[in-house]
């Protein structure tokens, strides 16, 4: 049966891509609402760059989803400005708790919501890409997953630098013991 590229989608794919696009709209809306509440210029720069990138990715997915063919604007690569430096260790802080008022929204909370959005998009796009039948849509979804990961990583570095996201570390002897507990697989030929 010869199907037009526009309708080269399985039912499961339709629902999965619908979920990807709905989650992306949710993330874009969240970024738009939160923008006016950001205090730190660095976080505002990250938010603006990520919003712009997510919007372009959304448009690319919509384009190939509707046409079933290569999008007019292909998937691009998100480039963060942050370096890859994490501060390790724990510093005592006040216990976290839910806010009681919108006036308590601050850069820590905003960056946490941004991190959650990027992680959610990576998860939903991964699930959709594995079940998408249209090869163009599947490739666009798959190619966009590393960008979600990069955005989440950028936010986690920002949070770590500002003390919002602490990274505990095992003692070196424990790390070495675990790291040394694995060896490469042998290249033995499987029995037939």
């Amino acid at each position: 049966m010869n199907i037009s590229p526009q309708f080269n989608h399985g039912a499961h794919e339709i629902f999965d891509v619908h979920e990807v696009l709905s989650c992306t709209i949710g993330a874009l809306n969240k970024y738009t609402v939160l923008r006016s509440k950001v205090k730190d210029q660095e976080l505002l720069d990250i938010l603006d760059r990520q919003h712009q990138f997510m919007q372009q990715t959304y448009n690319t997915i919509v384009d190939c989803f509707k046409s079933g063919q290569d999008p007019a604007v292909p998937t691009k690569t998100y480039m963060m400005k942050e370096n890859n430096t994490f501060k390790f260790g724990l510093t005592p802080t006040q216990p976290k708790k839910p806010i009681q008022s919108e006036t308590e929204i601050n850069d820590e909370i905003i960056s946490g919501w941004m991190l959650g959005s990027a992680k959610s998009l990576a998860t939903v796009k991964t699930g959709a890409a594995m079940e998408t039948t249209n090869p163009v849509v599947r490739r666009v979804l798959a190619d966009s997953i590393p960008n979600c990961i990069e955005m989440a990583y950028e936010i986690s570095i920002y949070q770590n630098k500002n003390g919002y996201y602490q990274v505990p570390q095992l003692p070196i002897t424990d790390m070495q013991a675990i790291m040394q507990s694995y060896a490469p697989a042998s290249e033995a030929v499987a029995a037939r």
Side-chain angles (χ1 to χ4, degrees):
M1 186 165 137
N2 194 6
I3 297 176
S4 157
Q6 181 181 7
F7 298 109
N8 183 13
H9 304 291
H12 199 79
E13 172 185 352
I14 293 289
F15 294 126
D16 281 349
V17 177
H18 166 72
E19 185 176 8
V20 166
L21 294 172
S22 295
C23 287
T24 306
I25 288 171
L28 288 166
N29 291 344
K30 189 180 295 183
Y31 276 48
T32 298
V33 169
L34 295 174
R35 188 180 192 287
S36 66
K37 299 182 181 309
V38 174
K39 302 282 187 275
D40 181 22
Q41 189 59 44
E42 181 182 8
L43 181 58
L44 185 60
D45 178 60
I46 294 169
L47 183 142
D48 285 343
R49 285 185 296 101
Q50 289 190 2
H51 184 273
Q52 180 181 10
F53 192 88
M54 271 193 280
Q55 191 168 354
Q56 179 54 65
T57 302
Y58 169 83
N59 288 336
T60 295
I61 295 169
V62 167
D63 182 7
C64 70
F65 185 50
K66 284 184 171 185
S67 72
Q69 299 179 22
D70 286 339
V73 177
T75 308
K76 301 198 180 314
T77 301
Y78 182 77
M79 302 299 289
M80 65 179 198
K81 288 184 177 178
E82 293 286 332
N83 62 32
N84 296 320
T85 305
F86 271 89
K87 292 186 288 185
F88 293 99
L90 298 175
T91 303
T93 61
Q94 291 295 316
K96 308 265 189 240
K97 62 181 182 175
I99 61 174
Q100 302 300 306
S101 165
E102 188 177 322
T103 60
E104 296 177 69
I105 295 174
N106 59 24
D107 291 340
E108 179 178 4
I109 291 169
I110 292 168
S111 61
W113 285 337
M114 291 170 66
L115 178 61
S117 292
K119 290 167 73 172
S120 294
L121 285 171
T123 300
V124 74
K125 286 178 180 180
T126 300
M130 291 188 287
E131 306 238 5
T132 296
T133 55
N134 181 289
V136 175
V137 177
R138 187 195 68 76
R139 174 52 41 210
V140 167
L141 289 171
D143 287 349
S144 71
I145 296 165
N147 294 318
C148 297
I149 295 168
E150 194 76 0
M151 286 189 270
Y153 188 60
E154 179 179 40
I155 290 296
S156 67
I157 292 169
Y158 169 84
Q159 288 187 312
N160 176 258
K161 181 170 60 176
N162 288 283
Y164 309 149
Y165 181 76
Q166 297 190 46
V167 181
Q169 206 172 27
L170 293 172
I172 290 177
T173 54
D174 292 347
M175 279 194 281
Q176 286 176 328
I178 292 172
M179 292 165 56
Q180 298 303 320
S181 66
Y182 297 93
S186 63
E187 294 186 27
V189 177
R192 293 194 164 116

